[in-house]
């Protein structure tokens, strides 16, 4: 039996302990429960346990869940690959998008964000390990895209996101997280925007390391909900 409530409590406790040990300020690490391929019932259990941020990868699946849970105070994060023909739905239904990897997608999300909603919180996805199989922009192109996105009135550029290559070697993952943190700090200084304060990295396998290396948004699925149905 998967105990979602206990899993969330255990992860939150670990985050607190790591923050205390590293002297980081309280409230700077936010847990996004990745609920792709999980049921609405599982999401409700997590909500009852105090979880408010949820991450989804597939637009159609996500929009159905968002409709079903309407009226609850849920913060929805889109964390998957973005196709142009899906930007309208993403701009209409989500609060955050972590996976912006090109100007055209940012422009479409900006143009399609409903006027009555607050600006869409966005992060740029960085291909930190220069992995051909992964989405994301190269670190060299980060500042230029960030400056374009920061100028868009219906988007609020909140930070950077990364999905490092899976490695069983802790040193390799640590190195990727460090390069992300350095890029994040440099971009933050160059932009000078107070709300550019979010570094989205760390998943079930490596979130502890990510917290130690400065993550502010953790995207955790299986460690909360168990294995995903396919
Ligand atoms: C699925 C997914 C996660 C969660 O992965 P787990 O290993 O289940 O914690 C995090 N980030 C992204 C971008 C994902 O697609």
């Amino acid at each position: 039996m998967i105990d979602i409530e206990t899993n969330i409590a255990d992860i939150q406790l670990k985050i607190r302990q790591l923050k205390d040990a590293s002297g980081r300020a309280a409230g700077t690490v936010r847990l996004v429960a990745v609920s792709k391929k999980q049921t609405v019932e599982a999401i409700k259990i997590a909500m009852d346990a105090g979880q408010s941020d949820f991450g989804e990868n597939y637009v159609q699946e996500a929009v159905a869940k968002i409709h079903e849970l309407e009226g609850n105070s849920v913060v929805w994060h889109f964390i998957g690959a973005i196709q142009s023909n899906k930007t309208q739905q993403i701009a209409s239904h989500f609060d955050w998008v972590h996976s912006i990897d090109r100007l055209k997608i940012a422009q479409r999300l900006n143009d399609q964000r409903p006027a009555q909603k607050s600006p869409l919180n966005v992060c740029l996805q960085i291909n930190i390990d220069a992995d051909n199989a992964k989405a994301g922009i190269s670190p060299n192109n980060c500042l230029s895209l960030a400056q374009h996105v920061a100028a868009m009135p219906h988007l609020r550029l909140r930070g950077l996101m990364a999905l490092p290559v899976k490695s069983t070697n802790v040193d390799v993952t640590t190195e990727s997280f460090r390069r992300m943190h350095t890029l994040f700090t440099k971009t933050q200084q160059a932009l000078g925007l107070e709300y550019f304060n979010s570094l989205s990295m760390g998943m079930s396998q490596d979130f502890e390391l990510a917290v130690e290396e400065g993550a502010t948004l953790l995207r955790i699925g299986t460690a909360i909900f168990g294995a995903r149905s396919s």
Side-chain angles (χ1 to χ4, degrees):
M1 256 293 283
I2 304 290
D3 187 341
I4 293 170
E5 187 175 358
T6 303
N7 291 344
I8 291 173
D10 287 349
I11 291 167
Q12 291 288 14
L13 176 64
K14 224 165 246 166
I15 294 170
R16 265 201 308 283
Q17 289 169 339
L18 288 163
K19 277 195 328 193
D20 290 347
S22 64
R24 291 183 56 182
T28 54
V29 180
R30 190 158 156 185
L31 174 59
V32 178
V34 176
S35 48
K36 64 177 174 216
K37 309 266 176 105
Q38 306 288 353
T39 62
V40 168
E41 284 64 40
I43 296 175
K44 283 181 178 163
I45 293 170
M47 287 165 60
D48 286 343
Q51 180 63 32
S52 58
D53 290 73
F54 292 89
E56 292 280 341
N57 291 56
Y58 310 107
V59 175
Q60 211 178 342
E61 175 194 338
V63 169
K65 289 174 179 170
I66 292 170
H67 282 314
E68 235 182 291
L69 290 164
E70 230 154 43
N72 297 282
S73 50
V74 178
V75 180
W76 291 103
H77 298 249
F78 190 80
I79 64 172
I82 306 175
Q83 294 165 299
S84 298
N85 62 354
K86 298 285 163 58
T87 52
Q88 173 95 58
Q89 284 191 296
I90 295 171
S92 302
H93 292 100
F94 282 84
D95 305 291
W96 283 73
V97 175
H98 293 224
S99 43
I100 293 208
D101 64 353
R102 52 200 195 276
L103 185 60
K104 179 186 166 192
I105 292 296
Q107 192 66 60
R108 288 177 68 91
L109 290 170
N110 178 70
D111 296 347
Q112 294 169 337
R113 180 69 169 169
Q116 74 276 15
K117 293 206 169 194
S118 53
L120 181 63
N121 295 291
V122 300
C123 295
L124 307 184
Q125 183 170 350
I126 307 297
N127 190 353
I128 194 63
D129 298 310
D131 177 359
N132 287 332
K134 286 226 161 71
I137 55 167
S138 113
N140 292 334
N141 297 330
C142 176
L143 185 57
S144 154
L145 182 58
Q147 283 166 332
H148 280 103
V149 172
M152 295 183 184
H154 306 295
L155 302 184
R156 178 163 291 149
L157 180 61
R158 299 300 305 272
L160 305 180
M161 181 270 234
L163 197 76
V165 288
K166 273 207 176 72
S167 173
T168 47
N169 183 343
V170 169
D171 295 339
V172 171
T173 310
T174 303
E175 189 50 44
S176 299
F177 285 156
R178 284 204 181 146
R179 276 186 277 117
M180 268 313 289
H181 187 259
T182 304
L183 179 67
F184 170 69
T185 309
K186 269 172 45 185
T187 308
Q188 194 175 43
Q189 282 164 357
L191 292 172
L193 298 172
E194 66 169 316
Y195 47 79
F196 187 94
N197 58 10
S198 304
L199 182 52
S200 169
M201 59 185 195
M203 316 194 340
S204 294
Q205 295 305 316
D206 53 20
F207 75 89
E208 287 146 295
L209 210 51
V211 171
E212 288 174 338
E213 299 302 333
T216 73
L217 286 168
L218 305 175
R219 310 178 310 266
I220 301 184
T222 46
I224 294 174
F225 296 109
R228 285 179 277 274
S229 61
S230 49

